[in-house]
Amino acid sequence: MAIRSFFLFILFFSSSLSPVFSLYEDQVGLMDWHQQYIGKVKQAVFSSQRAGRKRVVVSTEENVIASLDLRHGEIFWRHLLGADDVIDGIDIGLGKYVITLSSGGSILRSWNLPDGQMVWESSLQGPKHSKSFLLVPTNLKFDKDNVLVVFSNGRLHAISCIDGEVLWKKDFEAESFEVQQVIQPPGSDLIYVVGFAASYQFEMYQINAKNGELLKHESASFSSGFSGEVSLVSTETVVALDSTGSILQTISFQDGKISSQQTPISNLVEDSLGPAVIIPSSVSGIFAIKTDAVTVFIRVIGEGKLEVVEKTTHEIAVSDALSISEDQQAFALIQHASSEIHLTVKLAHDWDGNLLKESVKMDWQRGLVHKVFINNYIRTDRSYGFRVLIVMEDHSLLLLQQGEIVWSREDGLASIIDVTTSELPVERNGVSVAKVEHNLFEWLKGHMLKLKGTLMLASPEDMAAIQSMRLKSSEKSKMTRDHNGFRKLLIVLTRAGKLFALHTGDGRIVWSHLLRSLHKSEACQSPIGLNLYQWQVPHHHAMDENPSVLVVSRCGPSSDTPGVLSFVDTYTGKELSSLSLDHAVVQVIPLPYTDSTEQRLHLLINADKHAHLYPKTSEALSIFKREFLNIYWYSVEDQNGIIKGHALKCKCTGEVADEFCFDTRDLWSVVFPSESEKIVATVTRKLNEVVHTQAKVVADQDVMYKYISRNLLFVATVAPKGSGEIGSVTPEESWLVAYLIDTVTGRILHRVTHHGSQGPVHAVFSENWVVYHYFNLRAHRYEMSVIEIYDQSRADNKDVWKLVLGKHNLTSPISLFSRPEVITKSQSYFFTHSLKAIAVTSTAKGITSKQLLLGTIGDQVLALDKRFLDPRRTVNPTQAEKEEGIIPLTDSLPIIPQSYVTHALRVEGLRGIITVPAKLESTTLVFAHGVDLFFTQLAPSRTYDSLTEDFSYALLLITIVALVAAIFVTWRLSERKELQEKWR
Amino acid sequence: MKWVKVIVSFILTLSFLSFPSCAFQSDELLVDDEEFGLEGAPQHRSPEPIPTRSPPVTSPTRKRHSDLDSDSKIQFSLDHAFGDSDFSPAGTFSARLKTWSHGGQTLTKLRFSRNSFSDVEKEKFKNLLESDDFYRIRLPSNVLSPPGRDFIISSVKARCLPRESLDEHFVIHMEGVNVLAVNYGSPGSCPYPRNLKLPAKWSFSSHTVLKNREQAPRAPVFTEEILGGENAEGEVLQPAERSFWAKYWMYLIPLGLIVMNAITQAMNMPEEQATGLVPAQGQPSAGAVQRGPSSAVRRR
């Protein structure tokens, strides 16, 4: 009976909640935060406008165009182009338009510089794919109209800067012609297009900029061929490398005549090592080449004569040239020296004289300088001053001026790969890191203000003070663990290989660490961070240890390159150790076992299907041996359409005896027919999900048992034809098949086909249900389906007497080798939005009802109650069903505007939603990341287990005091009355 | 016309099915012969495979059936392996291949003949039982051109199989002529502490089920007025009509308690009357006695 009453209790909670939850205006920012980023800057253009605020326009690798305040680094405006709309070039036209060329040179847009409104857009087609160039000549006019010159897709366009109209175009259709540079010498009406044909022929086209007429076409062949890029050293000279990378070709095409000079690199540099590459830059008269060890700056003197001006072994970055006067060009050079960077600004024709030389202290956690952009300004003493914008290895953006870092932006956070969380230290003497305790007076003042607020005596200024106090509450940003588990550290791994710890209270960066193991090295050429795992989560024993995370990375894009493991302390951000593995890492399986120091056992599967156990200790091995036969896993081969199940076999039978290496074997396989099915989504339950109860009480006091297995895999396949974009196939040749597969035995527990449906499929798996989202071609709408799976083998445990007498099988161990008796229930509903991500709330004990978190195409997060996706919804629910909380069936899912978790904010470029349970059962923490970051707390069934933030303790206290006073007064009164009576 | 076709095909399959059943005790299942891509045949849409329990196939020699088209009949073999050994033939599946007018092909009338274990295999199987290892089987992924792209493997702990005989259960998931997956195991449960038990009979009792894909339920489409949904929504929000008890229980319970209290007091009264020596005046006098001291105190 206790069980039943408990069910009723849960039911009460689940039915009493209302699906609408929203927050008041003054609650914004109390427990949520939002941060805006732009990503790694690819190109920056400084606005040369004299009046108005100084700004810089940047394009980034996240396909963002943004206008930043040059004084503080804040974003004025920002636009995120689509994922396949990669920005090729940006520039400023007429001083007030930002021109962007994107999508491989096929879309040209113009944006208004002050406010970021789009002015025009034009689409540029061409005969073939090619490099694209965007030129904004300053003095090239065409009927009083400034002209943009764009080379893209093998065609040269002249485009009006005012309205984006194509004025003329010229095709370069020659099959093998590869454009290398498009040059518009200032002050002339000519355009030069230079490039290579068939990799040994140099081609030069001279074109009239007024009408696109071909004036001259010259070509010269070079037997040694070309490799890599060319560097433009003057408007009529380029430098290229031959195919071996050892001979420099100086090609000049003055007056349409091609002449060339060859200089072997060994003539210039005595000890040149290996093939060289040209560093792209546009400084006139000077170019740089880089070999493995050295960077060499070479000056071109007159008729193709070359002279080495500097040779350095330091890491170096060069900016493009900046014209500071008619005939003077300046450029910036940044060199690394231990903990400092040296910035030098030089004139192009005068290498030895420095315009500026500064040293700036640089945190080595930012890594190397990747890009430099230079800008000048006029100092108060009317001389030229220079400021540079630098992009670091960790993707951060910094502005340097007068030898100082004026501002910095942590734009690495725009490209998060993986997220995990860590608890903060327990509050103890000397542990607390926060030193924000204020004095008694402030404390009293704060409480008086709050009291005024609750008694409605506060003036608007007081209200503002209260609000700011609430927002800056030291309570939420403390560096210790709190009672409710709201304060945590979010550990995020970014694409740059940097690990950040963000505080959930206010989103500040607690520490950041550029992983040394993800640094480029001899052994590891292009390391890529892959995943984060919780390595050590001390709770029972080993409380004195700090928790740590495991970062798994590998040395290259292909999956058979060796892996690297690093272990990072989450309190301090120190890299405890790192391991360069001698094997690849294809799959990482965190095992549900920990050793005595709470280190989690991990199984790493390599490309040859050997399993390696970590940590490599004998204790771990003995724990592992005990569970040896109960470890199963699966692998998905998307390309082949095969899912396989594996188990461990024996010790490795390799040449080297390794105790921690195990052979594996295939237990089962599912082969999808390649002509009819293609895997598009595989989803499992979260490993740490807690399910509170196995039983579900349905109407009529009946019980259904959830089929709860950690080994269920949801797989969605679509017709190979239908894996393209929506609308590319007819409904007849497109279908979607949903599977539920047991990953221990390979049993298909459920298999269902949606005809006329198409991906992309987004799915989430929790408890005994899976919800997936796809497109229905017949209905021309998105659909969401739910599958719930119930265990029938326990269905006859409903009898109370059986439970009392212990004649039930609820406690008997479940073996997946038994034939499962399951039933599934499913239902589909229409849904308006397309999705970018989907997640489900998770709470500490799993009692609170669930909400689905949908990342919509508008970059917002929408919370949708799971009750709307109940397969048992019917058109006319019975009385009992209504009491259970079943909503009458509708064909589409409602979108309630108040249930946007992100309220008015947008998480631009949303990629993932992560939910973490707080200690308080009713509350779950939600972190959404994309280019922006957003964090909030959610209570899907309201905070039934705690008083709300705005609960007025003062009022409660006053009431109690008033009551006590009243008791005393009445007592005295009654006593007095009694006395009087006695005297009567 | 379609209807006629469907019915004719249905009758045909029925007649086909009836023939072998008198000649041979088939260990196959009935597979609904429904066409898939065809629109507008809603009644016969969802092909629910009907598993039929088959008697154990004892004889390894198979009989050929002359009453079926030999060209549309196909066979594919089942291989097995003991632990990590190599696969060796263990039996043969035979089925009729049905070609549909739109080009699709499906298998029907699957039957299975199991080779019985040789002595060597018995020994191997015993070893498996002792070490609680896996007994593995495999099927080709394409029945027309075996092995297709890859073999379909499935395995089970050997200790799950022995009962009276060796009981096995196959669920073969098909997609046209492709085998997607095979679920292999014991037909019933296999409780976890797997005990070592040797079968009484070294013969297989096999059950096979062929499963084709099912169609998902469509999203409900309400053609009625669009307001219907909102009304339904509104209904939820409205407090549902509740019973008298549900509405007023908070008043009724105290009322009940008061009534009960009153009753017990009323019960006490006659009791006192029965036990009390003074029946008539006792009550008021007792009251007076009780009240006595208090009034006396007051008057003092």
Side-chain angles (χ1 to χ4, degrees):
Chain A
M1 279 315 285
I3 295 174
R4 187 165 290 184
S5 66
F6 197 61
F7 291 152
L8 287 175
F9 173 74
I10 295 163
L11 266 182
F12 168 69
F13 270 126
S14 57
S15 56
S16 64
L17 69 102
S18 93
V20 179
F21 79 102
S22 48
L23 74 179
Y24 294 101
E25 199 184 345
D26 64 339
Q27 287 175 324
V28 171
L30 269 190
M31 37 193 199
D32 56 342
W33 46 263
H34 180 231
Q35 294 176 351
Q36 295 188 316
Y37 294 102
I38 51 175
K40 186 184 182 183
V41 170
K42 246 182 348 191
Q43 205 182 343
V45 185
F46 294 86
S47 159
S48 54
Q49 237 175 347
R50 290 275 167 261
R53 288 197 275 187
K54 296 280 181 205
R55 56 183 84 210
V56 56
V57 180
V58 294
S59 71
T60 72
E61 287 182 357
E62 297 289 329
N63 300 340
V64 172
I65 330 159
S67 164
L68 303 178
D69 185 344
L70 209 47
R71 298 228 189 284
H72 306 103
E74 285 151 12
I75 298 169
F76 278 132
W77 54 262
R78 173 178 71 147
H79 292 291
L80 179 67
L81 306 186
D84 48 356
D85 199 5
V86 179
I87 302 168
D88 302 308
I90 59 167
D91 213 330
I92 292 180
L94 290 177
K96 57 182 179 182
Y97 299 121
V98 178
I99 315 290
T100 64
L101 184 67
S102 61
S103 278
S106 56
I107 300 172
L108 189 70
R109 294 188 183 94
S110 164
W111 316 80
N112 195 11
L113 181 60
D115 57 3
Q117 302 273 9
M118 188 153 80
V119 184
W120 50 258
E121 176 183 279
S122 48
S123 160
L124 309 175
Q125 305 304 325
K128 61 167 191 178
H129 184 76
S130 76
K131 275 191 191 176
S132 37
F133 296 91
L134 169 69
L135 298 184
V136 183
T138 45
N139 47 6
L140 187 64
K141 290 248 161 73
F142 187 85
D143 288 350
K144 291 182 205 156
D145 190 355
N146 268 50
V147 175
L148 309 173
V149 179
V150 177
F151 190 97
S152 69
N153 293 324
R155 184 179 284 178
L156 185 70
H157 306 260
I159 291 157
S160 157
C161 194
I162 306 292
D163 54 7
E165 207 183 322
V166 177
L167 302 172
W168 53 258
K169 53 195 176 197
K170 170 89 184 77
D171 281 3
F172 292 84
E173 275 174 47
E175 259 310 298
S176 58
F177 179 70
E178 263 181 72
V179 66
Q180 290 295 339
Q181 283 289 344
V182 178
I183 307 142
Q184 203 277 320
S188 77
D189 284 347
L190 297 173
I191 297 172
Y192 292 101
V193 176
V194 296
F196 305 140
S199 77
Y200 59 85
Q201 188 119 343
F202 180 80
E203 305 262 340
M204 188 278 294
Y205 296 87
Q206 193 184 46
I207 287 156
N208 186 346
K210 294 280 182 203
N211 51 19
E213 199 187 329
L214 179 65
L215 299 175
K216 240 175 223 170
H217 173 209
E218 295 282 330
S219 67
S221 66
F222 292 84
S223 54
S224 52
F226 298 103
S227 71
E229 306 221 4
V230 298
S231 185
L232 194 67
V233 288
S234 77
T235 53
E236 286 163 338
T237 316
V238 294
V239 176
L241 275 166
D242 77 332
S243 51
T244 59
S246 58
I247 299 170
L248 285 166
Q249 313 262 18
T250 316
I251 307 158
S252 98
F253 42 93
Q254 218 155 12
D255 309 322
K257 292 249 163 49
I258 298 177
S259 59
S260 75
Q261 190 107 23
Q262 297 195 351
T263 320
I265 292 177
S266 51
N267 285 8
L268 300 167
V269 191
E270 296 82 49
D271 49 347
S272 83
L273 305 151
V277 283
I278 290 183
I279 298 175
S281 80
S282 69
V283 184
S284 73
I286 287 174
F287 66 96
I289 56 169
K290 190 176 180 338
T291 61
D292 285 338
V294 287
T295 311
V296 185
F297 287 89
I298 298 165
R299 181 156 53 192
V300 184
I301 344 163
E303 294 291 306
K305 289 230 167 50
L306 303 179
E307 179 193 51
V308 174
V309 286
E310 190 161 332
K311 201 165 79 176
T312 174
T313 52
H314 290 291
E315 284 292 336
I316 207 160
V318 196
S319 78
D320 277 354
L322 171 84
S323 305
I324 46 172
S325 65
E326 281 291 303
D327 54 350
Q328 281 190 316
Q329 278 191 326
F331 66 98
L333 199 72
I334 286 188
Q335 275 175 291
H336 279 268
S338 63
S339 67
E340 284 187 333
I341 57 167
H342 298 302
L343 164 70
T344 17
V345 178
K346 291 176 193 284
L347 282 175
H349 59 265
D350 177 18
W351 183 269
D352 302 317
N354 293 335
L355 280 178
L356 187 76
K357 196 166 168 68
E358 286 166 354
S359 299
V360 185
K361 273 248 180 304
M362 187 60 70
D363 185 3
W364 69 269
Q365 295 290 4
R366 294 194 185 278
L368 305 175
V369 175
H370 273 189
K371 280 199 167 85
V372 191
F373 303 98
I374 183 169
N375 178 228
N376 63 334
Y377 61 95
I378 309 225
R379 288 203 189 114
T380 42
D381 61 355
R382 309 235 161 242
S383 63
Y384 278 116
F386 294 93
R387 52 167 92 91
V388 292
L389 199 63
I390 56 173
V391 182
M392 305 297 294
E393 193 179 358
D394 67 344
H395 298 186
S396 61
L397 184 69
L398 296 94
L399 185 80
L400 305 185
Q401 189 177 327
Q402 294 156 11
E404 271 179 68
I405 299 172
V406 183
W407 50 260
S408 63
R409 291 180 59 87
E410 290 291 348
D411 278 307
L413 286 170
S415 46
I416 289 177
I417 297 174
D418 203 1
V419 184
T420 186
T421 54
S422 162
E423 294 289 345
L424 282 160
V426 184
E427 191 156 11
R428 258 180 289 172
N429 283 343
V431 172
S432 172
V433 188
K435 289 182 184 64
V436 274
E437 314 291 345
H438 22 206
N439 57 36
L440 188 70
F441 175 70
E442 294 229 328
W443 184 81
L444 270 176
K445 207 171 96 183
H447 274 258
M448 283 312 292
L449 269 176
K450 267 190 187 168
L451 191 64
K452 263 171 126 181
T454 41
L455 297 176
M456 311 216 177
L457 296 170
S459 63
E461 291 91 68
D462 290 346
M463 290 302 277
I466 295 169
Q467 182 65 16
S468 70
M469 220 164 59
R470 288 168 78 186
L471 289 180
K472 276 185 282 179
S473 148
S474 61
E475 203 45 38
K476 72 174 186 183
S477 55
K478 259 191 186 172
M479 278 300 293
T480 52
R481 221 174 277 190
D482 66 333
H483 205 69
N484 293 332
F486 292 163
R487 293 200 296 259
K488 281 185 202 298
L489 286 178
L490 289 168
I491 314 289
V492 300
L493 176 66
T494 65
R495 197 169 298 150
K498 198 171 187 182
L499 213 55
F500 288 90
L502 305 177
H503 195 287
T504 56
D506 52 4
R508 82 196 129 97
I509 296 166
V510 178
W511 53 259
S512 61
H513 180 79
L514 189 70
L515 290 172
R516 220 177 295 212
S517 56
L518 284 177
H519 227 67
K520 206 161 137 184
S521 66
E522 285 282 310
C524 205
Q525 275 304 319
S526 53
I528 308 166
L530 293 177
N531 284 105
L532 274 175
Y533 297 92
Q534 291 191 332
W535 178 252
Q536 196 177 16
V537 186
H539 55 284
H540 284 148
H541 5 277
M543 274 303 270
D544 297 330
E545 306 248 354
N546 288 358
S548 54
V549 289
L550 164 69
V551 185
V552 179
S553 43
R554 68 166 172 241
C555 292
S558 80
S559 65
D560 52 354
T561 47
V564 181
L565 305 182
S566 25
F567 306 92
V568 180
D569 185 328
T570 62
Y571 287 173
T572 59
K574 294 255 154 41
E575 196 166 349
L576 299 172
S577 63
S578 76
L579 274 175
S580 286
L581 308 182
D582 51 357
H583 58 84
V585 180
V586 177
Q587 216 175 344
V588 181
I589 304 161
L591 298 172
Y593 318 114
T594 52
D595 67 5
S596 60
T597 56
E598 298 280 336
Q599 285 188 353
R600 188 162 291 277
L601 271 60
H602 283 71
L603 207 57
L604 270 59
I605 313 294
N606 71 4
D608 310 328
K609 289 186 178 168
H610 287 297
H612 299 264
L613 177 71
Y614 288 89
K616 290 196 170 186
T617 60
S618 56
E619 189 196 355
L621 196 64
S622 68
I623 296 169
F624 186 70
K625 283 267 173 67
R626 244 179 285 151
E627 304 292 343
F628 192 78
L629 289 174
N630 290 329
I631 293 167
Y632 299 89
W633 71 95
Y634 70 95
S635 61
V636 181
E637 296 167 25
D638 304 38
Q639 298 305 316
N640 295 334
I642 297 176
I643 300 178
K644 279 184 179 162
H646 313 275
L648 295 162
K649 195 157 80 177
C650 55
K651 286 240 170 70
C652 273
T653 50
E655 56 283 359
V656 193
D658 184 357
E659 275 191 300
F660 301 95
C661 168
F662 300 92
D663 275 343
T664 66
R665 57 174 163 199
D666 294 355
L667 285 188
W668 54 266
S669 61
V670 174
V671 180
F672 296 106
S674 55
E675 66 273 16
S676 66
E677 290 181 41
K678 182 174 183 289
I679 300 171
V680 288
T682 53
V683 180
T684 53
R685 275 179 61 194
K686 254 202 245 171
L687 275 176
N688 54 0
E689 191 188 51
V690 184
V691 180
H692 180 253
T693 170
Q694 202 197 4
K696 180 175 180 174
V697 181
V698 296
D700 316 326
Q701 309 290 308
D702 206 353
V703 182
M704 289 176 86
Y705 288 90
K706 298 173 187 170
Y707 185 79
I708 293 166
S709 163
R710 291 208 181 281
N711 305 305
L712 274 184
L713 171 71
F714 168 81
V715 181
T717 63
V718 296
K721 271 187 184 175
S723 57
E725 276 186 31
I726 290 166
S728 56
V729 281
T730 58
E732 282 71 33
E733 51 190 9
S734 175
W735 53 83
L736 184 148
V737 195
Y739 296 87
L740 284 180
I741 298 175
D742 185 301
T743 57
V744 171
T745 59
R747 276 177 206 277
I748 295 180
L749 297 175
H750 184 67
R751 175 184 176 204
V752 74
T753 310
H754 296 267
H755 282 284
S757 294
Q758 205 182 2
V761 177
H762 294 275
V764 63
F765 205 140
S766 170
E767 295 199 352
N768 66 327
W769 52 263
V770 58
V771 169
Y772 51 104
H773 176 275
Y774 53 91
F775 190 76
N776 186 333
L777 287 165
R778 281 191 217 278
H780 310 290
R781 282 202 265 185
Y782 284 99
E783 247 178 40
M784 274 171 97
S785 284
V786 58
I787 301 172
E788 289 190 358
I789 179 161
Y790 291 98
D791 194 352
Q792 283 297 90
S793 65
R794 317 204 146 200
D796 38 322
N797 291 321
K798 288 168 197 165
D799 199 341
V800 180
W801 285 113
K802 271 193 176 173
L803 287 174
V804 170
L805 297 172
K807 287 196 174 174
H808 57 84
N809 57 357
L810 288 178
T811 48
S812 61
I814 301 172
S815 171
L816 289 168
F817 290 108
S818 301
R819 194 172 147 218
E821 297 168 52
V822 293
I823 53 162
T824 52
K825 289 173 179 284
S826 61
Q827 180 83 271
S828 303
Y829 302 94
F830 293 123
F831 188 69
T832 317
H833 288 305
S834 67
L835 295 190
K836 284 187 166 179
I838 185 167
V840 66
T841 58
S842 60
T843 53
K845 302 268 187 296
I847 300 170
T848 310
S849 64
K850 304 245 171 195
Q851 274 183 338
L852 290 168
L853 300 174
L854 311 170
T856 64
I857 196 76
D859 292 327
Q860 293 206 303
V861 180
L862 178 74
L864 181 72
D865 222 283
K866 168 66 178 58
R867 284 193 304 153
F868 286 107
L869 279 152
D870 190 331
R872 298 193 303 121
R873 282 174 70 182
T874 48
V875 181
N876 290 310
T878 62
Q879 188 64 38
E881 282 176 334
K882 273 186 190 167
E883 275 170 23
E884 191 200 324
I886 287 191
I887 302 162
L889 184 66
T890 49
D891 57 351
S892 55
L893 296 169
I895 291 169
I896 303 155
Q898 289 95 319
S899 59
Y900 278 105
V901 172
T902 44
H903 34 94
L905 302 169
R906 285 174 55 149
V907 188
E908 292 277 357
L910 182 68
R911 270 191 295 262
I913 304 168
I914 284 112
T915 59
V916 187
K919 245 184 240 160
L920 198 66
E921 168 55 30
S922 66
T923 312
T924 171
L925 311 177
V926 178
F927 179 59
H929 64 90
V931 174
D932 290 356
L933 309 181
F934 179 80
F935 175 86
T936 192
Q937 293 170 14
L938 272 191
S941 309
R942 303 247 183 103
T943 47
Y944 55 81
D945 50 0
S946 73
L947 294 170
T948 51
E949 181 91 344
D950 47 350
F951 179 80
S952 171
Y953 289 94
L955 207 62
L956 181 73
L957 216 70
I958 290 170
T959 318
I960 291 168
V961 169
L963 278 173
V964 170
I967 287 166
F968 270 99
V969 169
T970 47
W971 181 56
R972 290 301 289 269
L973 282 176
S974 79
E975 232 178 23
R976 195 179 292 172
K977 202 175 173 189
E978 214 166 278
L979 197 65
Q980 276 173 359
E981 287 232 329
K982 283 174 189 168
W983 279 108
R984 195 180 287 166
Chain B
M1 273 312 285
K2 266 177 195 166
W3 279 103
V4 174
K5 253 187 208 170
V6 167
I7 291 162
V8 165
S9 68
F10 199 70
I11 292 166
L12 268 173
T13 37
L14 275 183
S15 61
F16 270 118
L17 287 172
S18 60
F19 276 132
S21 61
C22 48
F24 173 76
Q25 280 217 316
S26 151
D27 60 357
E28 65 93 35
L29 71 151
L30 280 164
V31 174
D32 192 331
D33 298 338
E34 264 312 318
E35 221 167 319
F36 259 94
L38 261 178
E39 274 278 73
Q43 285 303 315
H44 299 258
R45 256 310 172 81
S46 64
E48 189 63 56
I50 307 147
T52 52
R53 209 200 136 92
S54 61
V57 180
T58 44
S59 105
T61 55
R62 290 180 308 101
K63 292 177 189 168
R64 290 233 165 224
H65 295 281
S66 51
D67 54 354
L68 290 172
D69 279 339
S70 56
D71 58 347
S72 67
K73 196 172 164 182
I74 54 154
Q75 291 187 0
F76 53 98
S77 70
L78 172 87
D79 296 345
H80 65 175
F82 303 90
D84 298 312
S85 73
D86 289 336
F87 284 96
S88 56
T92 318
F93 283 98
S94 53
R96 236 191 106 226
L97 184 71
K98 196 164 168 103
T99 308
W100 300 95
S101 54
H102 60 78
Q105 289 174 311
T106 48
L107 287 190
T108 59
K109 304 181 70 181
L110 182 80
R111 72 196 56 179
F112 175 53
S113 73
R114 187 65 141 118
N115 305 341
S116 55
F117 275 157
S118 66
D119 289 340
V120 180
E121 286 171 333
K122 266 184 204 169
E123 206 48 50
K124 279 182 178 170
F125 197 81
K126 271 184 195 158
N127 287 340
L128 281 191
L129 289 177
E130 270 152 26
S131 59
D132 192 18
D133 210 346
F134 286 100
Y135 176 66
R136 304 198 291 161
I137 57 145
R138 76 173 185 192
L139 284 177
S141 67
N142 190 313
V143 295
L144 285 186
S145 56
R149 284 204 297 143
D150 202 347
F151 281 103
I152 310 286
I153 306 170
S154 189
S155 43
V156 71
K157 288 271 182 188
R159 288 189 185 177
C160 288
L161 295 179
R163 268 144 222 269
E164 282 306 300
S165 55
L166 292 165
D167 289 6
E168 58 181 0
H169 186 270
F170 294 88
V171 183
I172 302 173
H173 291 266
M174 302 287 300
E175 171 68 52
V177 292
N178 293 303
V179 180
L180 209 79
V182 54
N183 303 346
Y184 180 69
S186 71
S189 68
C190 179
Y192 171 56
R194 286 181 288 269
N195 299 319
L196 178 60
K197 181 187 164 197
L198 291 176
K201 275 194 295 176
W202 282 97
S203 63
F204 274 96
S205 134
S206 313
H207 311 257
T208 49
V209 178
L210 202 61
K211 275 196 174 171
N212 276 306
R213 61 184 183 187
E214 294 169 30
Q215 179 127 22
R218 291 212 180 153
V221 179
F222 293 117
T223 43
E224 304 104 273
E225 75 280 34
I226 307 150
L227 283 172
E230 276 182 29
N231 280 346
E233 201 61 41
E235 261 170 50
V236 179
L237 297 177
Q238 274 168 22
E241 197 56 50
R242 286 183 294 177
S243 67
F244 179 77
W245 176 250
K247 265 184 189 166
Y248 301 113
W249 62 271
M250 62 286 269
Y251 307 112
L252 291 175
I253 287 173
L255 200 75
L257 286 171
I258 291 165
V259 169
M260 270 173 60
N261 212 11
I263 289 169
T264 43
Q265 275 195 354
M267 294 281 278
N268 284 345
M269 254 193 284
E271 238 173 70
E272 265 173 48
Q273 276 168 0
T275 52
L277 294 167
V278 193
Q281 314 104 290
Q283 187 67 23
S285 72
V289 170
Q290 275 178 355
R291 251 177 266 133
S294 68
S295 54
V297 169
R298 228 184 287 158
R299 265 176 218 146
R300 215 177 287 157

